[in-house]
Amino acid sequence: MNWTCVPFNELSTRQLYDVLALRSEVFVVEQNCVFLDIDGMDPQVWHLLGDGDDGRLKAYARLLPPGMKSPTDAVIGRVVTSPAARSGGVGRALMAEAVAHCERLWPGQAITLHAQAHLNRFYGSFGFVQIAEPYLEDGILHIEMQKCSPQSAQAPRPPEGVEQARGGPSLAQETPQ
């Protein structure tokens, strides 16, 4: 995989097209969620693209700075792997890259993500813990998760009665949003 992490204005026209096509293919068509993916945030965030050796986009995540969607945390969102690239560890590599880039771009900040609930163990394997009760978004059960910065003295606390998953399977056939 060849990784690129750039702000919006450094995306080529082709990269932008590939990102929007992959997000639409998975989030709108495959997951059958009719929603406006182009939400106005893309021009203000960093974009992490993983291209295969064939030059095709295999994985993508969008990295939001603290204060944009969360008052204090960086946010990883729109996490997606191409259906053709699943079961090969691409999702795991994508998350490792996303966390590393957030830590580089915003050192000392916690990282939040909003995950499909069935991916709790996957994200837990990267140190994320559930910090809120599950909620429905576009008909899919989601959970808010947080990973504290290594410099942070306090770990996030899960809501009362929420059991935390540790470790877990590779992304394999699952695609986080």
Side-chain angles (χ1 to χ4, degrees):
M1 294 291 293
N2 300 305
W3 297 101
T4 304
C5 187
V6 294
F8 181 81
N9 62 349
E10 292 182 24
L11 288 171
S12 70
T13 306
R14 182 71 211 189
Q15 286 174 317
L16 178 59
Y17 177 87
D18 291 346
V19 163
L20 295 175
L22 178 59
R23 287 177 8 188
S24 181
E25 175 186 9
V26 174
F27 299 140
V28 178
V29 177
E30 180 181 298
Q31 295 179 357
N32 196 28
C33 293
V34 178
F35 75 108
L36 185 59
D37 177 49
I38 301 173
D39 59 3
M41 288 193 216
D42 288 315
Q44 305 165 61
V45 304
W46 287 76
H47 301 269
L48 177 61
L49 294 80
D51 293 324
D53 293 334
D54 60 1
R56 300 181 106 173
L57 183 63
K58 305 290 185 198
Y60 169 83
R62 135 174 131 165
L63 313 178
L64 289 72
M68 187 165 180
K69 193 169 181 180
S70 166
T72 58
D73 298 356
V75 176
I76 298 173
R78 298 293 200 267
V79 178
V80 62
T81 57
S82 166
R86 295 184 191 153
S87 299
V90 173
R92 188 160 292 285
L94 172 62
M95 276 309 297
E97 288 287 329
V99 168
H101 282 286
C102 283
E103 290 173 346
R104 178 184 58 81
L105 290 165
W106 306 292
Q109 298 298 130
I111 304 168
T112 294
L113 55 80
H114 297 262
Q116 292 181 13
H118 70 95
L119 293 170
N120 190 343
R121 285 182 182 263
F122 173 74
Y123 290 114
S125 72
F126 291 93
F128 287 88
V129 296
Q130 183 176 341
I131 59 169
E133 294 297 327
Y135 61 94
L136 276 179
E137 183 176 323
D138 298 317
I140 299 172
L141 195 61
H142 282 73
I143 52 174
E144 184 176 3
M145 302 184 81
Q146 183 183 58
K147 176 183 173 62
C148 283
S149 161
Q151 294 93 348
S152 175
Q154 185 174 355
R157 293 181 172 229
E160 188 72 28
V162 173
E163 184 178 324
Q164 289 303 301
R166 294 286 176 225
S170 137
L171 185 57
Q173 300 161 352
E174 302 172 314
T175 301
Q177 184 166 322

